[in-house]
Amino acid sequence: MRDGAAATGTRDGATAPGLGLREILDLDRAHVWHPYGPMPGRQEPLVVESAAGVRLSVAGVGELIDGMSSWWSAIHGYNHPVLNEAVRDQLDRMSHVMFGGLTHEPAVSLAKRLVDITPDGLEHVFLADSGSVSVEVAVKMCLQHWRSLGRPEKQRMLTWRGGYHGDTWQPMAVCDPQGGMHSLWQGLLPEQVFADLPPAGFDAYDEAYARHLHDLIGRHADELAGVIVEPVVQGAGGMRFHSPRYLRALREACDTHGVLLVFDEIATGFGRTGALFAADHAGVTPDVMCLGKSLTGGYLTMAATLCTARVADGIARGEVPVLAHGPTFMGNPLAAAVANASIDLLLGQDWATEVKRVETGLRAALAPAAELPGVQDVRILGALGVVQLDHQVDMEAATRAAVRAGVWVRPFRDLIYAMPPFVTGDDDIARIGRAVCAAAAASTAANRGEVRA
């Protein structure tokens, strides 16, 4: 399944028929609001003309290896013939139909597949249109479950610090209260309960921290609807890894004190950490699970919120016995069809060996980063490698260095990281490692006021 195939890039500033490169950039600056950016933008984005395999064809630059899988999603790379065919075939049938009062085979098949491959006990699937919305739905499930059972006072969520769950309202409320966006919305966001930051390290376990979780959940049990965490890997909150044993501690505490447990596997699902789902590292079934990103192989936006029969039955007992949520594009047939194809493609190969191969390659490729000045930590788990600096990344310097090395990465805060598609070849993984090291060195030089060629 490894793919080193490349698309042909242009170096003369030309783009595909339509707008010219300069016109694209001018209009982009005038009208397009990019994620986490000001309006108008201060840095020119790169213009991608096409993508194939693990390479992006960038106007005026040429080919760049994608070290990001388009924010965790394109696990099979780009322009994959199997996924392309799934979309074309479904497009000939229907592109979309409302899900209220109607259903269709792609969505039904997808729901059954997800029930079959996720931890035992997750029986019901709500199909949403983005990861953030799937977290909104998960929180709503918890709140409505207890309200329907006559416990409306159970309306807060507990999480640990360092988390990230999305940018819409309820997800923001359970993001890290300091590293997240709480300061912008103080007094408006729901006030949640925050446990201490989980101790770092996949193999590190602190019994005292497990007791801290248990005690905090017990202390707030009467007001808690649920506990929500990113299992094993905290993503955009800091790319931190923690022991799977804390998931078992959470499960035990939630069961003891009558609180629902939610796992946000939007970033970790579908093999990224070396297990099909991060929950599998612990052998734990949550009451609610959120999936997204890699669900469609990076082709179309889609997410899913799964829950146990207990959660659904609780909601059904209420005065309003329905889950009060219904996205317009819920269960979109195109997205469901390509999600089915992506899951089949993943499970039809020895995906665990491929992820392990990527992990081994990243471990070797990023080892030199540990010796670089300004580097605080290097950590790898599954198809995810992280270099943490002792300073804020100089985005311009780091990005420029990585592009010069032929790789696209997107650093943030004090982190330069890579999450390549699972099909990335060994030589390309080595090149990604060199690019990340170059980006780290360039950022440190810029931070120290040094000039680099």
Side-chain angles (χ1 to χ4, degrees):
M1 293 300 297
R2 277 164 264 175
D3 188 346
T8 301
T10 59
R11 296 181 179 274
D12 59 0
T15 65
L19 300 176
L21 177 58
R22 188 68 258 163
E23 190 175 7
I24 290 173
L25 291 170
D26 288 345
L27 290 172
D28 183 278
R29 177 174 172 79
H31 301 299
V32 180
W33 209 325
H34 286 271
Y36 308 109
M39 189 70 229
R42 294 175 188 151
Q43 293 183 358
E44 277 193 350
L46 300 180
V47 177
V48 179
E49 298 176 317
S50 63
V54 300
R55 284 168 162 73
L56 309 176
S57 180
V58 179
V61 175
E63 292 176 349
L64 295 180
I65 299 167
D66 179 20
M68 302 301 295
S69 297
S70 283
W71 272 340
W72 309 69
S73 63
I75 56 175
H76 307 294
Y78 299 94
N79 205 17
H80 197 290
V82 172
L83 304 186
N84 288 358
E85 182 60 29
V87 174
R88 291 191 189 102
D89 181 66
Q90 183 56 46
L91 188 59
D92 287 339
R93 300 170 188 271
M94 61 178 170
S95 61
H96 182 62
V97 64
M98 67 183 291
F99 216 50
L102 302 173
T103 194
H104 48 80
E105 189 275 334
V108 172
S109 292
L110 177 59
K112 179 62 166 60
R113 275 183 172 87
L114 294 178
V115 167
D116 288 344
I117 66 176
T118 52
D120 290 343
L122 294 167
E123 298 291 334
H124 307 297
V125 182
F126 189 97
L127 296 171
D129 45 9
S130 75
S132 188
V133 173
S134 78
V135 174
E136 294 277 0
V137 171
V139 173
K140 186 177 286 187
M141 282 180 174
C142 294
L143 297 176
Q144 196 171 341
H145 171 87
W146 292 113
R147 185 172 292 272
S148 295
L149 294 180
R151 299 289 305 277
E153 72 279 4
K154 290 171 75 69
Q155 58 184 258
R156 299 181 76 187
M157 301 296 291
L158 182 146
T159 188
W160 47 36
R161 292 178 181 270
Y164 172 80
H165 300 277
D167 297 338
T168 53
W169 207 243
Q170 289 288 358
M172 277 201 305
V174 289
C175 291
D176 185 88
Q178 294 176 330
M181 293 169 278
H182 287 65
S183 60
L184 280 174
W185 310 109
Q186 190 171 9
L188 297 174
L189 285 176
E191 293 186 6
Q192 313 295 11
V193 180
F194 289 92
D196 294 342
L197 197 69
F202 182 83
D203 297 316
Y205 181 74
D206 183 353
E207 189 64 46
Y209 182 75
R211 288 196 300 272
H212 163 67
L213 293 174
H214 195 284
D215 292 347
L216 193 62
I217 292 170
R219 194 179 321 141
H220 292 275
D222 288 343
E223 60 177 342
L224 286 181
V227 172
I228 180 168
V229 297
E230 299 157 283
V232 178
V233 175
Q234 292 181 294
M239 296 294 173
R240 302 176 77 257
F241 309 155
H242 57 262
S243 170
R245 293 177 64 186
Y246 296 127
L247 307 181
R248 293 198 288 270
L250 287 173
R251 180 72 276 174
E252 292 167 5
C254 287
D255 288 343
T256 298
H257 297 292
V259 176
L260 298 177
L261 179 60
V262 182
F263 284 170
D264 175 353
E265 293 239 22
I266 293 165
T268 55
F270 304 102
R272 179 60 65 176
T273 68
L276 191 57
F277 299 98
D280 296 338
H281 288 294
V284 167
T285 298
D287 299 293
V288 181
M289 176 184 277
C290 300
L291 301 175
K293 290 191 180 292
S294 298
L295 177 60
T296 69
Y299 268 60
L300 289 163
T301 181
M302 182 177 243
T305 307
L306 289 81
C307 73
T308 62
R310 169 195 174 196
V311 174
D313 290 347
I315 292 172
R317 296 181 189 181
E319 181 180 351
V320 179
V322 300
L323 181 63
H325 210 89
T328 299
F329 288 93
M330 180 178 180
N332 174 259
L334 280 176
V338 77
N340 285 323
S342 178
I343 293 170
D344 286 347
L345 190 60
L346 180 66
L347 301 185
Q349 61 173 305
D350 188 357
W351 64 267
T353 297
E354 286 297 280
V355 171
K356 187 65 177 178
R357 178 187 60 80
V358 175
E359 179 182 54
T360 300
L362 287 173
R363 200 170 296 281
L366 294 178
E371 306 302 321
L372 294 175
V375 170
Q376 180 175 303
D377 187 37
V378 178
R379 48 190 181 268
I380 294 95
L381 180 66
L384 171 60
V386 182
V387 173
Q388 185 169 10
L389 307 181
D390 61 9
H391 60 275
Q392 288 286 110
V393 175
D394 185 300
M395 284 285 290
E396 185 175 357
T399 302
R400 187 168 57 244
V403 168
R404 277 201 305 262
V407 174
W408 171 250
V409 293
R410 182 68 172 171
F412 74 102
R413 284 171 35 182
D414 57 349
L415 303 166
I416 304 173
Y417 65 103
M419 50 179 81
F422 300 164
V423 297
T424 307
D426 295 342
D427 290 345
D428 285 343
I429 293 171
R431 193 170 179 183
I432 289 171
R434 291 193 295 271
V436 169
C437 289
S443 180
T444 298
N447 183 63
R448 296 178 177 181
E450 301 171 7
V451 177
R452 294 180 66 90

